[in-house]
Amino acid sequence: MHTNEEKLAAFGKLLDVLDTLRVRCPWDAKQTNESLRPNTVEEVFELVDALITDDAENIKKELGDVLLHVAFYSKIASEQGRFDIADVCTALTDKLIFRHPHIYGDVQADSADKVAQNWEQIKLREKGGNKTVLAGVPSALPALIKANRIQEKAANVGFDWEDRSQVWDKVKEEAGEVEQEIASGNADALEAEFGDLMFAVVNAARLYGVNPENALERTNRKFISRFNHLERRAKELGRSLKDMTLEEMDELWNEAKKLE
């Protein structure tokens, strides 16, 4: 691994290259916050894909792409006289120190849960920080991730079940309300009740230490793998999925499960 001096030199070289490209490359020269933003979202998702597969080389590559965007936005801001990458680093460092009084101060926190609770309380007290508990949850987050973050933040200020097993009564209650709305035929109310049920299931996952996004993505990938096997085997048998019975597809599905 590299020394801090080598890391700083590598980061400095990146900034030098970006300075040159911003002047000499027509594409880089015309980029703005608005034009880069969609690419940033894409790069973050590509990093997440690499993290899921735990491919070190790909993780390194995708981290570099995300870092480039951080440096690029900072470069644009410096050209506008607003701030530069040093300000970004300083603000982040100051925030980390301020939010870790159990490391840099005299606050006690001997567990990750206690640290998280302190973190939320500190953010509420910060100058210019979140004015409400849920203000820091980005509105653009995907709904599943947002539900988990909302529940985590509420729990960190004490709004949570006294006993996590109590959540299952809520899950059953919401499932029953979904069934009632299915019978009623009210599409709008059914959507609302499905939302309540999903929110309750996300809450259950959180209470049992499971990240719901990771859990669902694990199932997504498992389904894709099994379905790809089903499709491949059907082709080998000279069959089309559209022409197969459900029983025939189930047989190939179970075959895929045995291969896992």
Side-chain angles (χ1 to χ4, degrees):
M1 293 293 105
H2 297 87
T3 65
N4 281 345
E5 289 75 14
E6 290 170 330
K7 294 172 187 176
L8 289 171
F11 188 54
K13 185 175 181 180
L14 167 64
L15 297 180
D16 289 341
V17 169
L18 183 56
D19 287 345
T20 299
L21 294 179
R22 186 67 172 162
V23 173
R24 299 180 59 185
C25 174
W27 186 90
D28 289 282
K30 75 174 186 177
Q31 297 310 306
T32 65
N33 287 345
E34 291 71 27
S35 67
L36 285 173
R37 188 169 60 239
N39 292 340
T40 305
V41 174
E42 182 179 344
E43 296 297 353
V44 170
F45 278 108
E46 289 179 358
L47 172 59
V48 171
D49 276 344
L51 292 168
I52 289 172
T53 58
D54 197 26
D55 181 337
E57 281 300 312
N58 205 23
I59 292 173
K60 180 175 68 176
K61 170 184 173 297
E62 298 303 339
L63 282 171
D65 291 343
V66 172
L67 179 59
L68 172 60
H69 281 245
V70 173
F72 214 138
Y73 288 120
S74 300
K75 174 65 176 174
I76 291 171
S78 71
E79 293 168 352
Q80 298 168 346
R82 300 167 69 187
F83 59 83
D84 63 18
I85 191 68
D87 297 312
V88 173
C89 293
T90 298
L92 174 58
T93 301
D94 289 347
K95 180 171 68 175
L96 288 173
I97 292 172
F98 183 73
R99 291 187 181 179
H100 289 79
H102 55 290
I103 303 297
Y104 298 100
D106 55 6
V107 173
Q108 297 296 314
D110 54 5
S111 70
D113 287 342
K114 184 62 177 177
V115 171
Q117 291 170 7
N118 288 345
W119 186 278
E120 294 300 336
Q121 296 292 342
I122 290 168
K123 285 194 286 187
L124 288 173
R125 297 196 303 267
E126 277 180 337
K127 180 180 179 180
N130 300 327
K131 292 182 172 58
T132 67
V133 173
L134 301 181
V137 180
S139 60
L141 277 179
L144 183 66
I145 299 175
K146 185 190 292 186
N148 193 49
R149 289 297 294 130
I150 288 170
Q151 292 164 5
E152 287 177 341
K153 284 180 172 292
N156 283 335
V157 293
F159 189 75
D160 205 358
W161 299 97
E162 292 182 359
D163 187 318
R164 65 181 183 177
S165 64
Q166 295 172 320
V167 75
W168 296 114
D169 289 334
K170 186 63 175 176
V171 171
K172 293 172 185 176
E173 174 190 331
E174 297 299 350
E177 292 180 2
V178 167
E179 291 180 359
Q180 290 175 13
E181 293 305 335
I182 289 174
S184 76
N186 186 326
D188 184 67
L190 179 60
E191 179 183 77
E193 294 303 339
F194 259 114
D196 290 346
L197 174 58
M198 294 169 73
F199 195 84
V201 171
V202 168
N203 211 0
R206 175 187 63 83
L207 287 165
Y208 284 86
V210 174
N211 183 296
E213 172 69 17
N214 292 347
L216 182 57
E217 179 57 18
R218 182 174 181 174
T219 297
N220 287 342
R221 290 176 180 268
K222 180 169 59 178
F223 184 93
I224 290 171
S225 176
R226 291 176 181 177
F227 195 85
N228 285 345
H229 175 86
L230 188 160
E231 197 170 28
R232 183 173 59 255
R233 288 286 289 121
K235 187 175 181 180
E236 291 173 356
L237 295 170
R239 303 289 302 280
S240 167
L241 292 180
K242 292 182 179 180
D243 299 328
M244 295 178 72
T245 65
L246 183 58
E247 289 76 14
E248 290 173 324
M249 286 190 284
D250 277 342
E251 184 177 343
L252 296 180
W253 183 268
N254 290 329
E255 181 181 288
K257 290 170 65 176
K258 292 177 181 178
L259 294 173
E260 291 175 347

